[in-house]
Amino acid sequence: MPFAKVRTRIAPSPTGDPHVGTAYIALFNYCFAKQQGGEFVLRIEDTDTARSTAESEAAILDSLHWLGLNWDEGPGVGGPHAPYRQSERSAIYRERADRLVAEGHAFRCFCTPARLESMREAQKAAGQRPGYDGLCLRLPPAESEAKLAAGEPFVIRMKVPNEGSCVIHDLLRGDIVIGWDTVDMQVLLKADGMPTYHLANVVDDHLMEISHILRGEEWINSAPKHKLLYEYFGWEMPALCHLPLLRNRDKSKLSKRKNPTSLLFYQRMGYLPEALRNYLGLMAWSMPGGEEKFSLAEMIGQFSLERISLGGPVFDLTKLDWLNGRWIREDLDDAQFAGRVRQWAFNESYLMRLVPLVHSRVSVLSDLGPLAVPFFSGVVEVTLDQLLDGKLDRDTVSVALSVALGRIEGLRWEKAAIEKMLRDLATQMDEKLRDFLRPFFIVISGSPVSVPLFDAMEILGRDLCRARLRHAATLVGKPLSDEKRKLLKSLQANDAEL
Ligand code: GLU
């Protein structure tokens, strides 16, 4: 039976900064649903309890609201299928997983992590494809029950055919054939009772009556598992449409090493939400008349899946800047422009974060100008001479910037953690803190004598700091001496192990 109504969804995992890729996928789901007179649902996929955070979820919700991509059902709005946060739905998945076991579509696996590890090692050594070898699949039922009764920890895995292939129909790509031999006996329920993405995603898409799944193409290889689960449950599978991934200019997958990927960066930089949304609409899609500047309403009016093109869309900041400039110049009158500036950074809450840093440093209010520049700028222009005017030589600055760029990633973004990271690095590099921090002062605030560095970094946010540090790292270049190259390698190797 065809679905009565078009219902799409975005299902982000709150495990980091809100990503432009999430906004892109949300935009297409939103436009398709609205164009079809349907509904757009937001679901939070937070079953990875170790990596999911409330801050990340809040930032994702805020950014989608900022972009005007409001959901009809989901957190904060409610709806007939609440709750919309998977961590609040675990009983539902557990019950479904148990049912799959009872019906013989899934089995309990008692293999210990150590056994799985040695199995993987052996497969690797034998040049075989890694995957579960099915040991517990062959466990006699009585033995499985006995282990269960004895309280042995277990996961639930799905059964998969061991020969033949699966045909996935994609609305953009047609039929995709994937051999079952490439599909692992996926864990559905983890030892802690939480579902994996695959189980929760399928169960929720069904229960939330999703008719069309528009998601990134990185999920194509998961589709056979999902299709099989729909069959096991006896449910109709929603239509699938895998959208091409956003790319860096060199066509590699969009990454923060080459492009800012966090929506918080675009907010901080003062892009207009309507311009960014318009730009995301140009990724993989185009207006029938080829217009490049269009509103959300215009995009909805013209939206059709047929107009999606599969060539990897390049996310290009220069083009975004051009489009943003057009929106600023063509669509805002002076009063509206002033309003946007106020919203962006000339607002009470932002000013009150700066005031404690500058208050004690001015004799007249106009001293504020130079001190405030870094807080109202994007990447602050500095020269190589400025960066190297302290005690540190070029190679040392290069190592310091490269290692710091790596270490800011995992950091909790608050003053004390930033301070500790930089202090530790100075100690590891055997440099005096004052000398060590000087180039950081210059690249973050444009001057060696300015507001306190760690506070400034906290206020500016990780993304803008990353962009400024990267700008400096590019100016300085890679370390040239063998000694400093080795130092860089050893510091980075340590980080990789953490
Ligand atoms: N939670 C998945 C993600 O973070 C959702 C993938 C899907 O749309 O099925 O991208």
Side-chain angles (χ1 to χ4, degrees):
M1 205 182 63
F3 291 93
K5 187 164 205 174
V6 167
R7 282 173 58 87
T8 64
R9 53 46 166 197
I10 178 88
S13 298
T15 53
D17 288 340
H19 199 279
V20 277
T22 305
Y24 154 69
I25 303 284
L27 174 67
F28 280 58
N29 274 284
Y30 181 88
C31 287
F32 180 61
K34 297 296 152 189
Q35 200 276 327
Q36 297 278 321
E39 280 142 11
F40 171 59
V41 178
L42 173 73
R43 179 173 75 231
I44 295 292
E45 299 207 329
D46 57 350
T47 55
D48 184 344
T49 39
R51 294 177 59 226
S52 300
T53 65
E55 299 84 68
S56 168
E57 178 187 313
I60 292 171
L61 303 188
D62 286 351
S63 315
L64 291 175
H65 278 311
W66 177 69
L67 284 166
L69 300 174
N70 299 321
W71 44 100
D72 300 301
E73 291 171 30
V77 181
H81 305 291
Y84 291 90
R85 204 173 276 115
Q86 290 187 328
S87 58
E88 294 164 22
R89 301 170 62 81
S90 41
I92 301 176
Y93 314 120
R94 159 141 246 153
E95 198 245 305
R96 295 287 171 179
D98 286 343
R99 225 190 279 183
L100 288 178
V101 174
E103 288 166 2
H105 297 306
F107 58 98
R108 291 183 208 103
C109 171
F110 296 91
C111 290
T112 59
R115 179 189 179 258
L116 294 173
E117 186 52 36
S118 62
M119 174 196 80
R120 271 192 287 270
E121 288 300 320
Q123 286 168 336
K124 217 159 128 195
Q128 292 165 350
R129 205 183 56 81
Y132 184 61
D133 60 4
L135 183 72
C136 290
L137 181 62
R138 297 183 289 271
L139 209 59
E143 219 173 295
S144 176
E145 290 301 326
K147 282 175 180 284
L148 180 67
E152 272 191 43
F154 67 91
V155 300
I156 292 179
R157 288 181 187 273
M158 68 188 289
K159 290 187 184 171
V160 293
N162 45 23
E163 53 185 21
S165 48
C166 172
V167 181
I168 296 296
H169 186 75
D170 180 276
L171 293 177
L172 302 176
R173 294 167 175 78
D175 286 347
I176 306 170
V177 180
I178 300 176
W180 283 118
D181 59 346
T182 65
V183 181
D184 198 9
M185 291 177 225
Q186 177 65 49
V187 173
L188 298 177
L189 205 72
K190 295 179 271 189
D192 63 1
M194 285 301 263
T196 56
Y197 154 74
H198 304 279
L199 176 66
N201 188 270
V202 164
V203 168
D204 283 348
D205 280 343
H206 173 74
L207 296 178
M208 296 180 181
E209 300 178 74
I210 300 304
S211 65
H212 293 73
I213 296 176
L214 277 60
R215 65 179 165 202
E217 63 192 332
E218 75 269 35
W219 299 103
I220 289 180
N221 288 334
S222 296
K225 294 171 191 170
H226 299 180
K227 188 172 181 198
L228 197 55
L229 284 173
Y230 280 100
E231 277 168 28
Y232 287 163
F233 286 125
W235 297 336
E236 185 186 353
M237 189 174 187
L240 291 182
C241 176
H242 290 95
L243 300 169
L245 288 181
L246 302 183
R247 310 256 156 201
N248 297 311
R249 227 184 277 187
D250 62 8
K251 287 280 180 179
S252 56
K253 182 177 154 198
L254 191 70
S255 63
K256 60 184 162 209
R257 282 188 60 83
K258 301 193 176 148
N259 254 310
T261 55
S262 166
L263 292 168
L264 302 177
F265 173 83
Y266 295 92
Q267 290 179 5
R268 260 236 65 97
M269 286 293 286
Y271 287 93
L272 303 187
E274 57 271 49
L276 179 59
R277 198 175 59 208
N278 177 178
Y279 186 59
L280 291 173
L282 288 171
M283 302 284 98
W285 193 81
S286 55
M287 285 293 248
E291 307 85 328
E292 293 198 293
K293 182 162 171 270
F294 47 82
S295 68
L296 185 59
E298 285 163 338
M299 182 168 173
I300 293 169
Q302 296 296 332
F303 194 78
S304 76
L305 296 177
E306 288 79 51
R307 300 201 55 75
I308 295 177
S309 84
L310 288 179
V314 172
F315 189 89
D316 176 16
L317 273 184
T318 317
K319 177 101 191 249
L320 172 60
D321 286 353
W322 166 81
L323 194 59
N324 201 64
R326 279 192 63 187
W327 276 94
I328 288 189
R329 292 187 303 273
E330 296 169 16
D331 291 74
L332 302 179
D333 61 25
D334 284 355
Q336 289 167 325
F337 178 77
R340 294 302 183 98
V341 171
R342 267 196 295 275
Q343 256 173 20
W344 166 63
F346 286 77
N347 58 61
E348 187 73 9
S349 100
Y350 191 59
L351 288 178
M352 283 312 287
R353 295 187 74 191
L354 305 187
V355 164
L357 305 189
V358 294
H359 195 169
S360 59
R361 288 181 166 75
V362 301
S363 351
V364 286
L365 296 184
S366 52
D367 285 342
L368 190 62
L371 287 176
V373 165
F375 297 100
F376 297 94
S377 310
V379 172
V380 190
E381 279 305 326
V382 291
T383 63
L384 188 58
D385 285 347
Q386 282 173 299
L387 283 170
L388 301 181
D389 77 347
K391 296 236 169 72
L392 266 48
D393 61 28
R394 183 172 179 155
D395 273 8
T396 309
V397 174
S398 163
V399 173
L401 290 170
S402 301
V403 178
L405 268 165
R407 291 189 183 175
I408 62 171
E409 293 311 332
L411 214 57
R412 208 183 148 76
W413 203 254
E414 56 190 22
K415 180 184 158 184
I418 299 167
E419 173 166 358
K420 181 170 183 326
M421 183 273 284
L422 289 173
R423 276 181 185 277
D424 288 352
L425 184 53
T427 311
Q428 283 174 309
M429 290 181 65
D430 216 4
E431 299 292 344
K432 276 209 201 92
L433 189 66
R434 230 184 116 85
D435 301 336
F436 176 84
L437 290 182
R438 189 178 172 93
F440 286 89
F441 263 103
I442 292 170
V443 65
I444 294 297
S445 38
S447 146
V449 279
S450 185
V451 294
L453 177 67
F454 312 124
D455 297 82
M457 288 180 74
E458 179 183 298
I459 293 174
L460 289 168
R462 191 194 321 264
D463 299 290
L464 201 46
C465 289
R466 183 194 298 114
R468 290 186 189 176
L469 293 174
R470 203 174 286 295
H471 168 62
T474 310
L475 279 177
V476 174
K478 294 202 164 66
L480 300 173
S481 70
D482 279 351
E483 182 209 347
K484 291 290 160 80
R485 272 211 293 259
K486 269 192 206 132
L487 175 65
L488 175 60
K489 260 210 176 120
S490 78
L491 288 167
Q492 287 178 329
N494 270 338
D495 290 348
E497 278 164 24
L498 290 176

